[in-house]
Amino acid sequence: MGIASLEDKIVQPAVVTILNQIYEVDFRGFSYGFRPGRDPHQALDALNVGIARRRVNWILDADIKGFFDHVSHEWREKFLEHRIADTRVLRLIQKWMKAGVLEDGERSETEQGTPQGAVVSPLLAKFGLEVHPDKTRLIAFGREAWRNRKREGQGKLETFTFLGFTHYCGENSKGYFQVWRETAGKRMRAKLQQIKQELRARAFPLAAGSTVAVCLTPSESEVAGDLEGDWPSPRPVNSCAAHLASVPECTL
């Protein structure tokens, strides 16, 4: 985590605005990550529409290796120098990226990556992205793949997780193809564990057989509530937290 100084927090948004004007024309229309005027809701909707309405038969499930941690400083500087001629801007960016880390009063050099927490980092982290080969796979997915698998009786297609949601092929109430999605199990389990630890830390007194109502904060639940295709049937969060619903006194 890199916390910028007050002066840098003022200057970095201005630099990001300039860089966006330079590089926005290079990004393709299906790119949504850390772009002005775009958000995860739009990315999920675009993915759903693309799979449902186009002849998609395969999905490349690619995993980016350490988005903020594995960006080469050398290659990032080459990319920037190719489009930016102002040496003052280049020098300013280099200072931000090589500011180092201060821990227990000792400063250590930053040899690669971008500091998480800086306004300029998401944009600069796009230069030199590296795909994690062990976690990248090509899977059959889409309307035609679903029809072929259903006709041949080979069972369900593989699923993939994107932006916290597990996507899978299915059908609607009329029997037509539809892409369904549900909150990824890993994310749900992590959130329930966090809730459990928080309740333990607060030592909240509960009588035997008491009911605990578990609700996600807006930041966790707003994505799930507004997306078409999320959960084929209603499934409230507190039903997933059944093991937290009835507990003996002080046993959380």
Side-chain angles (χ1 to χ4, degrees):
M1 179 65 69
I3 307 300
S5 64
L6 177 60
E7 293 83 355
D8 287 338
K9 289 181 178 179
I10 296 173
V11 177
Q12 285 188 12
V15 174
V16 170
T17 301
I18 296 173
L19 295 180
N20 281 332
Q21 297 301 316
I22 297 174
Y23 291 104
E24 266 296 303
V25 295
D26 295 333
F27 292 122
R28 305 299 295 269
F30 51 75
S31 174
Y32 285 82
F34 298 107
R35 292 183 62 187
R38 300 198 173 199
D39 56 40
H41 284 79
Q42 295 173 340
L44 287 164
D45 288 341
L47 176 64
N48 187 70
V49 171
I51 296 175
R53 298 183 182 179
R54 296 180 179 273
R55 297 180 64 87
V56 175
N57 295 318
W58 301 91
I59 293 290
L60 178 62
D61 186 11
D63 185 86
I64 302 299
K65 186 177 181 180
F67 183 77
F68 289 100
D69 302 331
H70 291 83
V71 178
S72 168
H73 287 182
E74 180 182 358
W75 278 106
R76 188 201 60 247
E77 291 174 7
K78 290 181 179 180
F79 277 119
L80 293 174
E81 290 172 356
H82 184 69
R83 300 289 296 276
I84 302 174
D86 193 330
T87 57
R88 295 170 299 179
V89 175
L90 295 173
R91 186 166 56 251
L92 187 60
I93 293 175
Q94 291 175 6
K95 288 182 178 180
W96 287 333
M97 297 300 100
K98 297 181 179 181
V101 178
L102 187 64
E103 187 174 1
D104 296 331
E106 297 184 2
R107 180 181 177 276
S108 58
E109 296 289 339
T110 304
E111 299 180 355
Q112 64 177 4
T114 60
Q116 299 186 41
V119 177
V120 74
S121 293
L123 178 60
L124 296 180
K126 297 181 181 181
F127 298 100
L129 294 178
E130 182 179 352
V131 175
H132 201 300
D134 298 333
K135 297 182 180 180
T136 298
R137 61 199 178 112
L138 182 66
I139 63 173
F141 200 95
R143 184 185 304 274
E144 295 301 322
W146 173 75
R147 286 175 178 173
N148 294 336
R149 185 65 64 92
K150 185 178 181 180
R151 182 172 54 252
E152 297 172 2
Q154 297 181 355
K156 297 181 180 180
L157 294 168
E158 291 187 77
T159 65
F160 69 93
T161 300
F162 179 65
L163 292 179
F165 289 90
T166 298
H167 295 68
Y168 60 96
C169 295
E171 59 184 32
N172 57 22
S173 58
K174 297 181 179 180
Y176 296 118
F177 170 79
Q178 183 167 339
V179 179
W180 290 106
R181 55 191 169 203
E182 61 182 14
T183 304
K186 182 178 180 180
R187 184 174 182 179
M188 178 65 74
R189 288 190 296 271
K191 175 54 65 175
L192 293 178
Q193 184 63 26
Q194 181 182 349
I195 294 173
K196 190 174 183 179
Q197 292 176 354
E198 181 66 22
L199 291 175
R200 281 176 171 172
R202 295 186 181 186
F204 189 73
L206 295 173
S210 298
T211 298
V212 179
V214 180
C215 299
L216 296 181
T217 61
S219 61
E220 294 293 336
S221 62
E222 61 183 357
V223 175
D226 298 332
L227 295 176
E228 179 184 357
D230 179 36
W231 292 342
S233 59
R235 185 171 63 177
V237 174
N238 55 1
S239 69
C240 299
H243 64 286
L244 290 179
S246 297
V247 292
E249 184 177 1
C250 299
T251 58
L252 286 176

